Amino acid sequence: MSSLIRIDKYDADPPAELYSVASTSEAFYPANTAIEFPCKDLIFERSEVTGITGSGSFSYSIVYRYPGDLTLNELPLVQLEGLVQYIQAQALLSLSGCGGIRRAVPATNEFPVQVERDGTDQGDWLVYANLVFSIEFILTDFGLDPAFGPTPEPPPELNELTIGVYRAKTGFDVDEPDDSTLDATLTVNISN
């Protein structure tokens, strides 16, 4: 997300300052923080082709702070709705089919932009640009933290693979080993 738009910092709290660290004397930008929420509806399935696939709903909010003396009509709500649409479109273009992501689509969000007062004496506005993505991915790494359990052992290293090629007799029975004979042995050496 930070490659698409300006993010001041990733935090669970709204920005404490009114203006961004990226502000200059020529332009003052509203401060923001990006919040990444825990994944919802996380499901894993076994797939014959790719091993394990997963899917879930990934939610984010970008919270902007605006001065409390602005009226509701002076807040850039339409521009922030456009920002949400822009990030969703970029996700469709760049995420689907890249790396381990099989499919990424914006999920329906009842409130793409929300407004509230910060509850302080200044009464600053907090405007939330909410993003939700439904993502299907291929699972290659569990990333288990040792604090929650043992670290899985890596699979054994494969250096050589031997394949036996058998020739079956006419009218063979797959459950009868004597109905086929070893015709050739192939050895594949795997080097890093």
Side-chain angles (χ1 to χ4, degrees):
M1 206 174 331
S2 51
S3 66
L4 298 174
I5 60 169
R6 176 185 52 81
I7 301 288
D8 292 338
K9 63 182 177 178
Y10 287 84
D11 198 349
D13 295 320
E17 310 83 31
L18 192 54
Y19 296 108
S20 170
V21 293
S23 295
T24 64
S25 59
E26 293 89 35
F28 290 104
Y29 302 113
N32 72 29
T33 57
I35 303 169
E36 180 178 356
F37 296 101
C39 180
K40 290 183 185 178
D41 305 321
L42 188 60
I43 298 172
F44 296 105
E45 295 178 358
R46 173 133 174 95
S47 168
E48 295 302 322
V49 177
T50 57
I52 299 174
T53 59
S55 64
S57 179
F58 295 83
S59 303
Y60 305 88
S61 268
I62 305 168
V63 186
Y64 291 89
R65 180 177 287 273
Y66 292 95
D69 58 356
L70 294 176
T71 66
L72 184 61
N73 292 334
E74 292 175 310
L75 295 175
L77 302 180
V78 173
Q79 290 88 340
L80 288 171
E81 286 176 353
L83 176 74
V84 170
Q85 292 171 357
Y86 168 73
I87 294 173
Q88 290 174 337
Q90 290 301 315
L92 283 173
L93 292 172
S94 61
L95 287 180
S96 294
C98 78
I101 297 177
R102 292 175 56 191
R103 190 169 85 88
V105 294
T108 305
N109 190 355
E110 188 176 357
F111 301 106
V113 175
Q114 289 178 286
V115 179
E116 67 180 36
R117 293 285 188 166
D118 72 348
T120 65
D121 292 340
Q122 297 98 319
D124 287 342
W125 293 102
L126 298 176
V127 183
Y128 295 78
N130 301 312
L131 302 151
V132 181
F133 298 98
S134 294
I135 299 178
E136 293 176 14
F137 54 92
I138 300 167
L139 186 65
T140 56
D141 184 17
F142 286 96
L144 186 62
D145 189 321
F148 298 108
T151 304
E153 292 184 25
E157 197 170 305
L158 184 64
N159 298 323
E160 183 178 280
L161 179 65
T162 303
I163 302 170
V165 180
Y166 288 83
R167 183 186 309 246
K169 297 178 181 176
T170 306
F172 73 97
D173 182 2
V174 292
D175 295 326
E176 191 62 46
D178 293 335
D179 280 358
S180 60
T181 56
L182 181 63
D183 194 33
T185 301
L186 303 172
T187 302
V188 178
N189 291 317
I190 301 168
S191 60
N192 293 335

